[in-house]
Amino acid sequence: MSNREQFRPDDHPNDHFLLTTVVGSYRKPKWLDRVRELHEDDDTGFTDENWAEATDDAARLITEEHERAGLDVVTDGEMRRNEMVEYFAHRIDGYEFNGRVKVWGHNYFDKPSVVSELERDREWLVSEYEFTASVADSPVKVPITGPYTLASWSFNEAYDTERELALDLADLVNEEIDALVEAGARYIQIDEPALATTPDDHALVGEALEHIVADVPDDVRVGLHVCYGDYSRIYPEALDFPVDELDLELTNDDFAQIDVFTDPPFTLDLALGVVDNHTAEVESVAEIKENIKQGLKVVPPERLTISPDCGLKLLPREVAYQKMENMVRAAREVEAELDAGRIDVEAPAASADD
C-alpha cells in the first residue's frame, strides 16, 4: 500500500486526492534579514537566544501561511537556512570556509571545502522539524540537500574521488533521516539540483540514495527533487532510484519535456511543478488546472503530487502566497472534475509497486 494516503486530510472534500505541497524554501520576512545582520555583527549584543526566538517566529509565520493557502503538507519555508549547501556544511565536521566565489552574474556563493574525513557530530534538522510540527496542524515535509549536491558544490581536498565523498555524505544524511524519523517525520525530500547539471552521474546518485534510505521504514515517504536540465539524460534510469516520488520542474519550459516520462511508463509517483518560481506573474486557477492535466499524461491521480516548480524564496511573499492558493484551488477543482468523470486520464493505472 502507498504511504501517500496518510497525508489525505480527514475533511478532504473529494474522492480523488491530489496531494498538494511546496518544494521547500520560501521568501523570508524582511525583518528576518535585518535580524540576521544583527546576529552576525558581534558588536550588537544580539545573542543566539535572540536569533533562535526570531527564527521560531518566522517559522511559525510561514508555516501558518502555508496552511492558510490550503496545502496538505507544509514546510517552514526553511527560515533557519541561508543556503542549501552552506547551511549543512556549517554543521558537518570536516568542512571549512575560505571565502565567497562568484557563480553567475553578480551572485556569490560561500563554497565550502572538504578538508578532512566528514563526521556528523550534531543534529541538522531535528529541532527545526520538531518546532514546525509543534505549530502545524498539517503534516510537515522535511527537505534536505542530497549528498551528490553537497559533494558537487564543494571543493574536495580530502577524498580520493567524488564518489567516496558523496557516499560518505550519504551515510551522514542517512543518520540524520533516522533521527528525523525517530522524531516523527514521515515525509522526507532529498534535493539534488546538481544532478541536472551533470546528469550522466545518475548511477552515483542512485548508489547514494541506496545509502540514504537504508532501514528507512516503508511508511516514511521519500521524494527526490530535481530541477531544470535535460531530463532525457536521467530517464528512464531514474525509475530505479529507491524513492517513492520524483519531483520535477516542468512549468518553466511549458512542459516541453513531459513526453520524456511517458515511454517507458513512469512507475514512481510524480510530484509535478505546476507554477513557475522564476516569474512574479501569478498563474490563474484555469492555467494551473491545465498544467495539472499534463501530469495525468504520466501518472494516474492517485500517484500525482502538486507543487511549485522549485522553492519560492526569490518571489515577493504576496506573489508566492497567491501562487500557492491558486495551486490548491486548481487541485481541488481538478479532483472534483475527476470525481464527476469529466477528465480523461491518459496515464496507465499501474501502481508504483509494479
Side-chain angles (χ1 to χ4, degrees), residues 94-171:
Y95 270 103
E96 69 176 30
F97 290 84
N98 299 300
R100 298 170 72 78
V101 297
K102 191 173 185 178
V103 285
W104 71 87
H106 298 290
N107 295 283
Y108 287 80
F109 164 47
D110 201 359
K111 186 172 180 176
S113 297
V114 178
V115 296
S116 63
E117 186 173 344
L118 301 177
E119 294 183 11
R120 173 187 172 274
D121 68 342
R122 55 177 167 148
E123 59 100 346
W124 306 341
L125 301 173
V126 174
S127 297
E128 173 187 297
Y129 166 75
E130 288 178 334
F131 179 83
T132 308
S134 75
V135 300
D137 292 324
S138 306
V140 174
K141 179 168 70 173
V142 183
I144 182 169
T145 304
Y148 180 73
T149 296
L150 288 171
S152 297
W153 292 0
S154 305
F155 296 114
N156 177 15
E157 301 174 6
Y159 287 77
D160 291 338
T161 66
E162 185 170 295
R163 176 180 175 275
E164 292 177 21
L165 172 57
L167 295 183
D168 252 16
L169 282 162
D171 289 336

Side-chain angles (χ1 to χ4, degrees), residues 1 11 20 47 79 118 138 160 179 181 207 245 286 329 345:
M1 181 177 177
D11 60 350
T20 60
T47 66
M79 290 296 105
L118 301 177
S138 306
D160 291 338
V181 170
E207 188 177 3
E245 176 179 83
R329 189 179 306 165
V345 178

Side-chain angles (χ1 to χ4, degrees), residues 116-270:
S116 63
E117 186 173 344
L118 301 177
E119 294 183 11
R120 173 187 172 274
D121 68 342
R122 55 177 167 148
E123 59 100 346
W124 306 341
L125 301 173
V126 174
S127 297
E128 173 187 297
Y129 166 75
E130 288 178 334
F131 179 83
T132 308
S134 75
V135 300
D137 292 324
S138 306
V140 174
K141 179 168 70 173
V142 183
I144 182 169
T145 304
Y148 180 73
T149 296
L150 288 171
S152 297
W153 292 0
S154 305
F155 296 114
N156 177 15
E157 301 174 6
Y159 287 77
D160 291 338
T161 66
E162 185 170 295
R163 176 180 175 275
E164 292 177 21
L165 172 57
L167 295 183
D168 252 16
L169 282 162
D171 289 336
L172 301 188
V173 172
N174 172 260
E175 290 179 31
E176 184 67 17
I177 290 177
D178 284 348
L180 285 163
V181 170
E182 182 68 22
R186 290 296 178 269
Y187 199 157
I188 308 291
Q189 176 184 287
I190 312 299
D191 293 328
E192 288 287 17
L195 175 58
T197 62
T198 49
D200 296 327
D201 277 352
H202 52 72
L204 174 54
V205 172
E207 188 177 3
L209 286 167
E210 293 285 356
H211 285 239
I212 289 171
V213 303
D215 301 320
V216 173
D218 290 341
D219 65 342
V220 175
R221 187 167 185 81
V222 179
L224 176 70
H225 174 65
V226 183
C227 44
Y228 54 78
D230 182 356
Y231 292 132
S232 68
R233 293 175 66 185
I234 65 170
Y235 192 82
E237 290 82 2
L239 295 177
D240 293 327
F241 290 162
V243 297
D244 299 296
E245 176 179 83
L246 191 59
D247 186 306
L248 300 170
E249 174 183 334
L250 286 164
T251 305
N252 184 245
D253 68 353
D254 199 25
F255 295 91
Q257 297 189 72
I258 194 71
D259 290 342
V260 167
F261 303 103
T262 60
D263 186 20
F266 200 88
T267 51
L268 298 170
D269 287 359
L270 173 65

Side-chain angles (χ1 to χ4, degrees), residues 318-332:
E318 63 273 14
V319 171
Y321 178 81
Q322 191 61 61
K323 282 177 180 272
M324 291 190 306
E325 189 175 55
N326 284 6
M327 184 183 79
V328 171
R329 189 179 306 165
R332 300 292 90 96

